[in-house]
Amino acid sequence: MFTDLEFDKVCRELEHPYLPESEGWEFFVESHDVTIYRQYNKVSGLYQYKIFGELKDVNPDVCAQVYMDTEYRKIWDTYVNDLREIEEGINKGIYWQINFPFMMSNRDYVYMRELREVDMDSKHIYCVLAKSANFNCCPEIPGVIRVDDYFQSSALTSNGAGGTKAFMHYYDNPKGMIPTWLINWGAKTGVPQFLTQMQSACRGYPDYLRTKQQS
């Protein structure tokens, strides 16, 4: 699905960020233990982002489990309208629909996703790669805009103090006429808010698993 080289590159960026100004990377915002950089895409007129942050009281193995658990995310992520694993032949993927603000069409994504555990420079890293893919079992839905230009890579490792050091590289083209204020909110506020939500979800994960086993 993804190559060893792709995983290796993401893991190295966690420890050694590659953000050359000559390629257009610029500091964007810092908030709540999260620092975000961005790079302008001349073709789409949008930005891609690299995010560095910490989840101070959650172990990386729990973060990785929560990140991959689609059923649990439907509980803690209020923007999820629909989220499920899909399968077509030997190919496995994810269908994900996001609630957009009133008077705007929801967006949905169909993508491949893979988690690998990598040992590098005395670090144990959980690395997740995702990118848009075509699955005939998930045709477009009337009234929902399909995002077909999307990729995301994430890497998680111990921060050495009982928490998690995190890296994310993210880009998508949501199409349509989306107000600038919403795009700015998503990058400046939405990402740190998501990490805060995820940290809370990680704390509650053991209780969720116990409840699930008992039901």
Side-chain angles (χ1 to χ4, degrees):
M1 187 183 300
F2 296 95
T3 67
D4 293 342
L5 185 61
E6 288 175 296
F7 278 97
D8 182 81
K9 180 180 178 182
V10 174
C11 290
R12 292 195 182 281
E13 288 215 67
L14 175 65
E15 296 299 318
H16 308 287
Y18 182 64
L19 298 161
E21 291 185 9
S22 61
E23 294 185 11
W25 286 102
E26 61 181 16
F27 170 80
F28 183 47
V29 68
E30 184 172 4
S31 174
H32 299 89
D33 299 314
V34 178
T35 304
I36 303 176
Y37 297 84
R38 68 182 184 178
Q39 182 191 60
Y40 186 67
N41 185 317
K42 294 180 180 178
V43 176
S44 66
L46 301 168
Y47 286 92
Q48 60 176 308
Y49 299 91
K50 289 187 177 181
I51 300 123
F52 302 85
E54 287 196 12
L55 293 83
K56 291 186 175 179
D57 62 349
V58 181
N59 292 326
D61 60 331
V62 175
C63 284
Q65 291 178 61
V66 169
Y67 193 78
M68 296 294 287
D69 193 328
T70 54
E71 290 301 311
Y72 184 47
R73 184 162 180 175
K74 286 188 284 189
I75 294 174
W76 64 265
D77 187 346
T78 56
Y79 291 99
V80 171
N81 180 282
D82 188 7
L83 179 62
R84 62 184 185 270
E85 296 181 0
I86 55 176
E87 190 170 341
E88 192 169 88
I90 62 172
N91 298 314
K92 295 182 179 181
I94 301 291
Y95 174 80
W96 177 33
Q97 186 182 144
I98 298 176
N99 292 317
F100 262 57
F102 179 69
M103 296 297 290
M104 296 183 66
S105 299
N106 284 358
R107 265 62 176 176
D108 68 1
Y109 300 70
V110 179
Y111 59 94
M112 298 184 298
R113 182 181 69 172
E114 184 178 354
L115 165 67
R116 289 190 193 178
E117 296 183 37
V118 179
D119 291 309
M120 178 182 291
D121 300 332
S122 301
K123 296 279 189 180
H124 189 71
I125 302 171
Y126 299 84
C127 187
V128 183
L129 302 185
K131 65 179 177 182
S132 295
N134 292 319
F135 281 78
N136 293 326
C137 62
C138 286
E140 294 189 29
I141 300 171
V144 177
I145 296 176
R146 174 63 50 87
V147 177
D148 53 15
D149 186 9
Y150 158 80
F151 70 79
Q152 181 174 320
S153 57
S154 303
L156 307 163
T157 193
S158 172
N159 67 356
T164 297
K165 183 178 181 180
F167 164 73
M168 181 184 294
H169 185 188
Y170 180 87
Y171 171 81
D172 74 358
N173 183 350
K175 302 178 182 176
M177 300 299 292
I178 299 181
T180 301
W181 69 263
L182 183 57
I183 295 175
N184 289 337
W185 177 89
K188 287 186 175 181
T189 307
V191 171
Q193 187 180 80
F194 168 77
L195 291 176
T196 299
Q197 278 188 307
M198 183 173 173
Q199 189 169 16
S200 178
C202 288
R203 296 190 191 109
Y205 197 53
D207 288 339
Y208 165 77
L209 291 178
R210 280 192 292 270
T211 302
K212 186 177 179 181
Q213 290 172 354
Q214 293 169 1
S215 61

